[in-house]
Amino acid sequence: MTNLTKHFLFHICLWSRKKFSVDHLTLKKGINIDNFISLAQQGYFKEPIHKVLGKCEILLCSTPPPPRNAELEKRILKLKAEQANAEYRSMTKSLLPPERSRISLREDIHSVSSQIIAVINFVLTVGGTFCFVYKAVEYALPHENIPAQVLMGILASIVVALADFYFLLQTV
């Protein structure tokens, strides 16, 4: 075996199809396993193959990754963005109010309008009670006594307001 053969058999690269190759990461020279086997079958080595292999360093060379397809890259980016959006929506689902439909909007408007009607009814009932009692006391007394009229109107309004609150709370 010559000195040149010893040098190239010291590194055996398993990925290259060239007779002599250089690994791109380690920059070591060597021959691929197919060429080594063909040299051994031709009787190139005077020693047994297991002794020759014992002196060799077997490298599992890394191949450079093939270039990626542009369409594949676009699709991967799109899928990553969709996955990130889905994850964000799942994290913030409990923070955001649920989406409303037209039916729930109608129910909300109906509920608000019934509450507005209840408030207007309350104000008119209490105000009407005050006016009625104020005038009733004015007609009941022989001479005009404004403090007594206001006091009786306020007391009657409070009684009616409490009764109205009771019935409002009963319906809710």
Side-chain angles (χ1 to χ4, degrees), residues 15 23-25 61-69 72-73:
W15 66 272
D23 182 22
H24 295 291
L25 294 179
C61 299
S62 59
T63 59
R68 295 181 92 170
N69 189 354
L72 177 65
E73 285 294 326

Side-chain angles (χ1 to χ4, degrees), residues 4 8 27 47 52 110 151 163:
L4 180 67
F8 285 109
L27 299 176
E47 299 177 5
V52 173
H110 179 70
L151 182 64

Side-chain angles (χ1 to χ4, degrees), residues 84-143:
N85 286 337
E87 186 176 334
Y88 176 76
R89 270 188 259 113
S90 71
M91 287 190 306
T92 60
K93 182 173 45 174
S94 64
L95 300 176
L96 299 175
E99 294 182 18
R100 302 219 178 235
S101 64
R102 290 183 179 209
I103 296 172
S104 66
L105 185 61
R106 287 181 191 158
E107 291 173 356
D108 289 345
I109 290 173
H110 179 70
S111 172
V112 168
S113 66
S114 66
Q115 290 172 356
I116 289 173
I117 290 171
V119 168
I120 291 172
N121 184 27
F122 175 79
V123 169
L124 289 175
T125 304
V126 172
T129 303
F130 178 81
C131 291
F132 173 77
V133 171
Y134 182 85
K135 283 304 209 176
V137 171
E138 180 184 341
Y139 292 136
L141 294 176
H143 61 283

Side-chain angles (χ1 to χ4, degrees), residues 73-89:
E73 285 294 326
K74 288 179 185 176
R75 186 166 182 227
I76 288 173
L77 289 175
K78 180 182 172 187
L79 290 174
K80 283 182 180 179
E82 287 177 5
Q83 182 66 27
N85 286 337
E87 186 176 334
Y88 176 76
R89 270 188 259 113

Side-chain angles (χ1 to χ4, degrees), residues 22 44 49 90 100 115 148 154 158-159 164 168:
V22 176
Y44 190 75
I49 293 181
S90 71
R100 302 219 178 235
Q115 290 172 356
I154 289 175
I158 290 173
V159 170
D164 212 358
L168 279 176

Side-chain angles (χ1 to χ4, degrees), residues 25-71:
L25 294 179
T26 61
L27 299 176
K28 292 183 178 180
K29 293 183 179 179
I31 64 172
N32 68 15
I33 194 71
D34 295 332
N35 291 336
F36 178 79
I37 291 172
S38 68
L39 289 174
Q41 287 174 347
Q42 293 171 7
Y44 190 75
F45 306 112
K46 297 186 175 45
E47 299 177 5
I49 293 181
H50 70 277
K51 288 185 180 179
V52 173
L53 285 176
K55 297 176 187 176
C56 295
E57 178 183 351
I58 299 176
L59 297 175
L60 300 174
C61 299
S62 59
T63 59
R68 295 181 92 170
N69 189 354
E71 291 178 23

